[in-house]
Amino acid sequence: MGLVLGPVLKALLFSFNNCPLGAPDVAVVYVPAGVRVENPIHLSYVSVEGGEEGSNKLPVSNPRVLVVVEEGGGEVGIIEEFTNKSTSTYELVEVSTGGKLSRHNLHLQQLGPDTSTELSTFHLSLGGQTQDLHSRLVFDHPRAYSRQLHKCIVAHSQGQAVFDGNVKVNRYAQQTDAGQLTRSLLLEPRATVNVKPNLQIIADDVKCSHGAAISDLEESQLFYFQARGIDLEMARKALVFSFGAEVIERCPYSFVRKQVENHVKELLSSTSQGSSNAAGSG
């Protein structure tokens, strides 16, 4: 039975103010093996100063959170809250590969006009893993811009992925431009993905779109590689990796991007080798 940790961490609160030089603030959350944090940790980012149009002064805040949960039943919930007094830009790049059951609840609420939101997520489900993303974007003010790209690969017959994406454009959010796209790649016959994109529009002067696609690798793409002397196995590896690379390359830090690329390639390579050995042993 895991240890339940309540009053020690449940009131943990970090506040980050703007730094004129854009120096990053870092919060580290560490959960030992077998420890379950009873209540979520609330991280609050407060921007008290913003830049004005035509001004040479541009305060920037780059808060970062490192979450380390050891193997053996560790569990923690984290809530991130961003607050400011001016127009804002929020960008998220997420790559999820670990955990038997991974669940991310992402809720963004627009608190003022002229906001920009970009969400890019890539989930890789290997073995019997379940990757689950529930997102909710709510716009209540004019001239919001948002783009959401969610991509997922399920590479095992018992693996599954879930995407429940909600975008709500309320009455006063006129001239909103919101787009949502989810694409899933199933590499095994019994692999499962449940996709539920949802777009609710009450305003009448908007430009909104959403789409969903679920498929295996296209034969025409594989044929293109083979016609140029590339064998089938290498072609499949290249196409599978490039499917997620569209999200990975959006990571703003080159050293993190390179580390993630190597990690994903290693996971996909081990999966393909396992499939080859299983096919050959029959």
Side-chain angles (χ1 to χ4, degrees):
M1 179 179 293
L3 174 64
V4 177
L5 189 57
V8 178
L9 288 180
K10 70 179 181 181
L12 188 60
L13 174 66
F14 295 93
S15 295
F16 298 94
N17 292 329
N18 278 22
C19 174
L21 299 179
D25 297 303
V26 181
V28 179
V29 178
Y30 171 71
V31 180
V35 171
R36 180 171 60 87
V37 182
E38 187 177 35
N39 291 339
I41 297 175
H42 191 163
L43 305 180
S44 180
Y45 309 90
V46 182
S47 299
V48 297
E49 185 179 2
E52 296 181 358
E53 187 174 354
S55 172
N56 293 326
K57 186 178 181 181
L58 182 62
V60 177
S61 177
N62 298 306
R64 292 183 290 174
V65 180
L66 174 63
V67 180
V68 180
V69 182
E70 289 189 345
E71 294 183 1
E75 182 179 340
V76 62
I78 295 177
I79 299 174
E80 294 183 277
E81 179 183 5
F82 296 80
T83 306
N84 67 4
K85 297 181 179 180
S86 62
T87 60
S88 67
T89 299
Y90 178 79
E91 297 181 8
L92 168 71
V93 179
E94 173 188 328
V95 177
S96 178
T97 64
K100 178 71 173 179
L101 171 60
S102 175
R103 170 72 177 264
H104 187 187
N105 294 328
L106 181 61
H107 182 189
L108 286 89
Q109 181 86 33
Q110 184 198 29
L111 300 179
D114 301 296
T115 59
S116 176
T117 305
E118 295 194 22
L119 310 175
S120 305
T121 54
F122 170 51
H123 290 178
L124 178 60
S125 178
L126 306 171
Q129 292 176 285
T130 297
Q131 299 282 3
D132 191 350
L133 173 62
H134 287 237
S135 65
R136 178 174 172 80
L137 284 71
V138 181
F139 301 109
D140 290 300
H141 301 271
R143 298 178 299 280
Y145 173 87
S146 74
R147 289 292 182 271
Q148 182 177 18
L149 173 64
H150 173 66
K151 306 190 85 171
C152 131
I153 297 176
V154 183
H156 193 275
S157 59
Q158 296 181 346
Q160 60 178 326
V162 178
F163 175 73
D164 188 344
N166 295 272
V167 178
K168 187 174 183 180
V169 183
N170 287 322
R171 178 177 302 174
Y172 298 108
Q174 303 294 343
Q175 299 177 355
T176 289
D177 183 353
Q180 180 191 80
L181 176 63
T182 172
R183 296 183 59 197
S184 302
L185 190 61
L186 303 183
L187 301 181
E188 292 291 335
R190 292 186 298 276
T192 303
V193 62
N194 296 293
V195 177
K196 183 186 174 185
N198 185 18
L199 181 60
Q200 298 177 314
I201 303 174
I202 301 177
D204 54 14
D205 182 14
V206 299
K207 182 170 65 174
C208 299
S209 64
H210 68 105
I214 302 173
S215 66
D216 195 348
L217 294 177
E218 296 182 8
E219 293 296 331
S220 59
Q221 294 177 324
L222 295 172
F223 177 77
Y224 178 87
F225 276 83
Q226 291 178 289
R228 284 152 181 77
I230 301 175
D231 64 75
L232 181 60
E233 181 180 353
M234 184 174 295
R236 289 186 63 87
K237 287 183 179 180
L239 289 172
V240 170
F241 177 76
S242 64
F243 183 85
E246 183 179 1
V247 172
I248 297 174
E249 66 185 11
R250 298 185 182 186
C251 179
Y253 304 104
S254 58
F255 70 97
V256 176
R257 183 168 59 248
K258 188 62 178 178
Q259 183 178 358
V260 172
E261 288 177 354
N262 293 335
H263 178 63
V264 171
K265 286 180 179 178
E266 182 180 350
L267 289 175
L268 292 174
S269 178
S270 63
T271 301
S272 62
Q273 289 176 3
S275 299
S276 300
N277 292 338
S281 63

